[in-house]
Amino acid sequence: MNRETITLAMGAGGKQTAELIREVFQDKLKNELFTENDGAILPELSGRPVMSTDGFIVSPPFFSGGNIGKLSVCGSINDVACMGARPRYLSAAFVLEEGFLVAKLEEIVSAMAETAGEAGVRVVCGDTKVAGKGQVDGCFITTTCLGEMVVQEAPAGARAEEGDAVIVTGDIGRHRAAILLARDAYGIEADITSDCAPLWKPVEALCQAGIPLHVIRDATRGGVGTVLYEIAHQSSVGVQLEREAIPVQPAVHGICDLLGLDPLYLACEGRLVVVVPESEAERTVEILRAFPDCTGAARIGKITGGNTGRVTLLTEIGTQTYLPEPGNELLPRIC
Amino acid sequence: MEQVQQQVRQEIERAKEYLRNYDGEQVNLMEVCGTHTHEIFRLGIRSLLSPKIRLISGPGCPVCVTGADFIDEAVYLAKQGAIITTFGDLVRVPGTKQSLAEARADGADIRVVYAPVDALDLALQYPERQVVFLSVGFETTTPAECLAVKMAKEQGVRNFTLLTANKTMLQAYRAMANKNKLIFLYPGHVHAIIGTGICRELAEREGISGVVSGFTAYELLAAITVAVKKAQANEPFFVNAYPRVVSEEGSLAGKALMEEVMVPCSAYWRGIGVMEGSGLALSDAYAEFDARKRFAVPEMEGRENPACRCGEILQGKCLPPDCPLFGKACTPEHAVGACMVSGEGTCSAFYLYGNTTVEEKVL
Amino acid sequence: MCVGMTARVLKVNRDVALVDASGARRQISAALLPSVEPGDYVMVHAGAAIAKVGEGDAEESAGVLRGLFD
């Protein structure tokens, strides 16, 4: 590309659009299914089709441990994985801001290609629009993932049962902490890398081991606390956590202490909440820990019949409290 | 080390046992500090206490005692084009017509900062804009705000001002103590600045009892235990249960700084009313950094919802569930009163954590 | 009020100190603590060190409770 920045002409559908698609997208994402036609014709799937879609507007688009490209692939892949389905194909729609650097776009698309490759998923169709300066913030991406179910009964938010174990696949809150650092809003420095990762492989291992996966949820927006409340409501159960069993990286704790936040509400982009029968809890954690993105997997609590619709915490001094149900914008607290 | 840990655990277990089984005369404790309220709920400490020990959440959350008129002033300045910088806590507090969050949705430039000096940095970064910092807080926070103003003056910064609603604790202690027979859990970080001399005097001269407390589980348990135990003698007392941070004289530098930059004024406490000498405003030497003066901010009416009982709740006269709005018209997502909007407010704590204990034990 | 956080002082340059809380670092004002030195623990609030911190909370609390029940 001889142009350094994205221009409105690149989104106008003419020669420059074709050039952008050819040189940035097709070059990096090439595979025989991604053609110049209006749609992709896909082979038959080997299980019931599962589809999920997600929009990404993260600001800033680059952060420690990833960028919006990697994030947009992980997000949709993980949503499909949470259904007990193998992610196969992705679509990606970009809205770019006039003036965005082409070099940055190339980096974003490269990250998408790499992450998709790692997860065994192909990007088969896409779209690019250019919005005027100030109309969007740099680069927005929407991805849709199509996958095939590999389990008989899909894990679901309503399937948690009394006595089940609650497991997270690693230490929590790193993605949101990495974003806070990347924004440089509060003058804090720390060595924190986003947990952003595609998680089909560990889920596949759990499926192959025949573990009855009652619920799998990725703890994105609102963090683990929000996801657990969703499960509590959908399954009409209570969730009881042990505060000291919840894995949190010390630096994430440090940021939370500084800003008066609780790691349970920080978004993760590579962490799943998995609910399985108690008898399978140990095996589940063991299988997960064999994967590089899940070495910190831990059992953090259990599903209870009482306290329906609520998440409770066993505190460090042996008392039991409610975890406040999140509902508001996450704001740092000083007083 | 192991042995020390063992001893600590033993002491704490004994304290918990005592608090759980206490069966003496009713003891009323007021935790004055919003962070204490927050931690007491977060740690489930209320569930450990015998029914004979009552914890009342006092007026020590600056957000809760800030009037609607202050938010109105901030919204006014934002609409005039200033960058409003604030601690996150204030963003959702309802004004008469709008909160800062609602003003932001209308295009106002509202930015959350971690420290007052960060607001000053923003002023240096945008020399063509006016940057106003919403200066709330008690003696813990006020020195940090004074520092920012002092630096602004030294550096000749012309586009940085404070909108002040700073408050001091002493008059509030007196007002609360007069209305209720209370033992205070004094706010540890306020007294890190002002020292404990004042607490000693309150006990000796005015018969007002209290314990300075830290904020961790151990510190809160220890402070509450000491308070209940000392109350048995029926004599005014004072104990500093937070000596690792708080000293008799406090922070000399912090006190000197506040005296240099600010002067006492009367202040309006939401729900309590106006108390003489309970506020701080910028002194004449720093008048040019007073947003009200620089921008001639008109007086705001500051209408608060008359059904809201925040005022009585702040004074321990009633509990949140006694308020007709609680949990119905007033929730954290749609707060009517400041006690619901602040994460440290009593109403918010009651709403989010339940009344005192988890209803059904599943231990 | 007042969320406080204990942090270790890494560097001091006149009135400004770099502090570390479990790996989260920030520059804060040390103007209220003229004698602060690297290695000290301080209580941080709103971007300023408001007090030096002595021992840990557990030892302190045990000290406060000691003798109370005897």
Side-chain angles (χ1 to χ4, degrees):
Chain A
M1 291 281 291
N2 50 6
R3 297 292 300 264
E4 283 182 4
T5 58
I6 298 294
T7 61
L8 286 173
M10 289 176 180
K15 233 172 91 182
Q16 295 201 38
T17 306
E19 198 178 277
L20 181 75
I21 290 172
R22 199 168 54 241
E23 294 184 21
V24 177
F25 294 101
Q26 282 182 339
D27 181 52
K28 299 194 191 317
L29 301 172
K30 63 173 167 263
N31 62 70
E32 72 281 3
L33 297 173
F34 196 164
T35 67
E36 286 173 8
N37 294 320
D38 280 349
I41 301 171
L42 305 175
E44 291 276 336
L45 296 172
S46 64
R48 291 173 63 190
V50 173
M51 191 165 85
S52 184
T53 190
D54 211 341
F56 298 85
I57 60 169
V58 62
S59 172
F62 291 84
F63 47 86
S64 169
N67 61 40
I68 192 170
K70 180 179 180 183
L71 194 65
S72 68
V73 170
C74 294
S76 285
I77 285 180
N78 291 346
D79 281 346
V80 167
C82 286
M83 301 298 293
R86 176 185 297 116
R88 297 293 307 271
Y89 308 107
L90 272 174
S91 77
F94 290 75
V95 180
L96 303 171
E97 185 184 16
E98 179 186 15
F100 193 66
L101 290 176
V102 171
K104 283 192 174 181
L105 179 62
E106 286 181 324
E107 210 179 314
I108 288 167
V109 178
S110 293
M112 293 178 82
E114 193 184 323
T115 309
E118 195 185 315
V121 174
R122 281 184 281 186
V123 180
V124 294
C125 55
D127 179 51
T128 307
K129 297 283 190 299
V130 178
K133 187 92 190 158
Q135 287 185 296
V136 294
D137 182 9
C139 170
F140 290 175
I141 306 176
T142 300
T143 58
T144 299
C145 182
L146 184 63
E148 56 205 12
M149 239 170 99
V150 305
V151 289
Q152 285 303 312
E153 197 181 354
R159 287 188 54 207
E161 292 173 18
E162 184 176 354
D164 282 356
V166 178
I167 291 161
V168 287
T169 62
D171 65 305
I172 66 171
R174 271 204 265 145
H175 176 71
R176 175 68 195 193
I179 295 297
L180 278 174
L181 293 172
R183 280 184 195 160
D184 196 25
Y186 304 115
I188 303 168
E189 285 170 32
D191 303 317
I192 293 174
T193 307
S194 165
D195 44 44
C196 177
L199 295 171
W200 165 242
K201 287 191 175 149
V203 173
E204 184 178 36
L206 296 178
C207 295
Q208 282 169 353
I211 289 174
L213 298 163
H214 290 173
V215 188
I216 312 180
R217 276 285 161 87
D218 58 343
T220 54
R221 226 175 352 186
V224 169
T226 303
V227 162
L228 291 174
Y229 260 101
E230 285 168 10
I231 294 170
H233 288 307
Q234 289 171 13
S235 296
S236 296
V237 293
V239 179
Q240 186 188 49
L241 301 179
E242 289 169 47
R243 176 63 84 175
E244 289 183 313
I246 301 167
V248 182
Q249 194 183 323
V252 172
H253 256 312
I255 290 183
C256 286
D257 284 352
L258 259 165
L259 299 177
L261 303 174
D262 189 329
L264 279 169
Y265 304 128
L266 300 186
C268 315
E269 290 289 347
R271 297 289 181 253
L272 306 176
V273 170
V274 184
V275 178
V276 299
E278 178 61 47
S279 57
E280 301 283 4
E282 217 170 300
R283 200 158 67 99
T284 302
V285 170
E286 201 174 302
I287 291 168
L288 286 169
R289 284 187 178 167
F291 292 86
D293 290 316
C294 304
T295 52
R299 181 192 184 284
I300 59 169
K302 64 179 179 190
I303 302 295
T304 63
N307 292 310
T308 304
R310 301 221 59 166
V311 180
T312 57
L313 273 164
L314 290 179
T315 69
E316 55 266 43
I317 51 168
T319 54
Q320 195 180 5
T321 63
Y322 289 122
L323 176 73
E325 184 162 6
N328 269 316
E329 174 192 4
L330 198 64
L331 287 170
R333 204 162 56 80
I334 188 74
C335 47
Chain B
M1 194 63 201
E2 190 78 345
Q3 210 183 348
V4 173
Q5 291 274 315
Q6 190 64 28
Q7 279 173 3
V8 171
R9 233 169 292 147
Q10 270 174 13
E11 293 281 1
I12 293 294
E13 282 311 314
R14 207 140 60 132
K16 278 161 67 175
E17 197 64 25
Y18 175 73
L19 294 176
R20 204 176 278 132
N21 299 324
Y22 174 75
D23 196 27
E25 247 184 80
Q26 171 91 28
V27 177
N28 292 322
L29 294 173
M30 177 177 270
E31 87 269 4
V32 182
C33 169
T35 305
H36 276 159
T37 305
H38 188 268
E39 290 303 302
I40 284 167
F41 274 97
R42 193 183 72 77
L43 293 164
I45 285 178
R46 279 166 174 255
S47 68
L48 279 177
L49 305 180
S50 125
K52 294 287 187 70
I53 304 170
R54 188 166 162 234
L55 277 177
I56 300 160
S57 307
C61 155
V63 175
C64 303
V65 294
T66 298
D69 57 335
F70 181 75
I71 300 300
D72 296 345
E73 289 177 309
V75 170
Y76 169 85
L77 287 167
K79 302 240 152 143
Q80 302 293 306
I83 299 177
I84 300 295
T85 52
T86 174
F87 296 130
D89 316 55
L90 280 171
V91 171
R92 285 193 295 262
V93 180
T96 302
K97 286 205 184 85
Q98 273 192 321
S99 67
L100 290 166
E102 287 160 343
R104 185 177 57 190
D106 275 359
D109 195 346
I110 314 288
R111 305 194 193 190
V112 173
V113 294
Y114 167 69
V117 288
D118 295 354
L120 178 59
D121 283 346
L122 209 60
L124 294 169
Q125 200 183 325
Y126 296 96
E128 74 290 355
R129 303 277 306 274
Q130 287 293 334
V131 174
V132 179
F133 180 76
L134 305 187
S135 179
V136 296
F138 300 108
E139 290 93 330
T140 319
T141 318
T142 303
E145 289 155 342
C146 292
L147 268 174
V149 170
K150 197 176 172 188
M151 285 165 71
K153 187 171 188 180
E154 280 164 7
Q155 295 170 25
V157 181
R158 299 286 309 144
N159 62 326
F160 177 72
T161 49
L162 298 187
L163 186 67
T164 57
N166 297 72
K167 292 184 169 60
T168 52
M169 285 311 317
L170 181 60
Q171 298 309 331
Y173 293 155
R174 289 196 170 117
M176 294 297 119
N178 279 342
K179 288 172 187 161
N180 308 276
K181 185 70 195 153
L182 288 174
I183 296 164
F184 288 115
L185 272 191
Y186 289 122
H189 292 153
V190 164
H191 289 278
I193 301 290
I194 65 176
T196 58
I198 192 74
C199 308
R200 198 173 297 284
E201 278 174 33
L202 283 173
E204 285 168 7
R205 296 193 195 155
E206 300 177 42
I208 298 171
S209 296
V211 177
V212 171
S213 174
F215 297 82
T216 69
Y218 286 160
E219 286 167 344
L220 282 162
L221 282 174
I224 293 169
T225 307
V226 169
V228 175
K229 197 85 186 158
K230 290 273 178 189
Q232 304 310 309
N234 255 325
E235 275 170 22
F237 63 90
F238 162 68
V239 178
N240 178 5
Y242 195 30
R244 69 190 184 108
V245 171
V246 178
S247 65
E248 169 89 17
E249 72 275 15
S251 165
L252 298 177
K255 287 191 278 192
L257 182 67
M258 284 194 283
E259 256 175 52
E260 180 194 335
V261 178
M262 294 205 176
V263 288
C265 62
S266 74
Y268 170 70
W269 295 57
R270 187 175 186 137
I272 298 173
V274 175
M275 285 192 277
E276 281 306 316
S278 69
L280 289 171
L282 287 163
S283 67
D284 284 346
Y286 287 88
E288 60 181 311
F289 296 96
D290 188 329
R292 284 188 191 91
K293 290 179 181 155
R294 188 180 299 176
F295 305 109
V297 178
E299 197 160 320
M300 299 289 166
E301 181 192 5
R303 214 162 355 95
E304 290 151 19
N305 189 322
C308 169
R309 296 185 69 182
C310 274
E312 291 159 272
I313 289 162
L314 282 173
Q315 298 178 61
K317 287 183 187 165
C318 72
L319 289 173
D322 300 328
C323 173
L325 305 179
F326 178 78
K328 300 181 186 88
C330 185
T331 63
E333 290 78 35
H334 303 282
V336 174
C339 298
M340 184 62 92
V341 77
S342 160
E344 301 206 331
T346 314
C347 295
S348 151
F350 267 69
Y351 185 85
L352 294 172
Y353 289 96
N355 188 348
T356 50
T357 54
V358 170
E359 287 147 25
E360 190 176 343
K361 295 274 175 192
V362 275
L363 288 169
Chain C
M1 81 164 287
C2 316
V3 174
M5 183 204 53
T6 308
R8 195 163 54 92
V9 176
L10 298 177
K11 270 193 271 182
V12 184
N13 184 4
R14 307 221 281 190
D15 278 354
V16 178
L18 180 67
V19 298
D20 176 293
S22 324
R25 299 174 296 276
R26 202 198 126 109
Q27 278 203 347
I28 59 157
S29 167
L32 302 182
L33 292 181
S35 63
V36 77
E37 285 173 20
D40 286 348
Y41 282 84
V42 293
M43 187 57 68
V44 179
H45 172 77
I50 57 167
K52 269 198 204 180
V53 178
E55 57 191 349
D57 68 321
E59 293 75 13
E60 170 202 61
S61 301
V64 167
L65 292 171
R66 201 163 295 137
L68 209 57
F69 296 105
D70 302 328

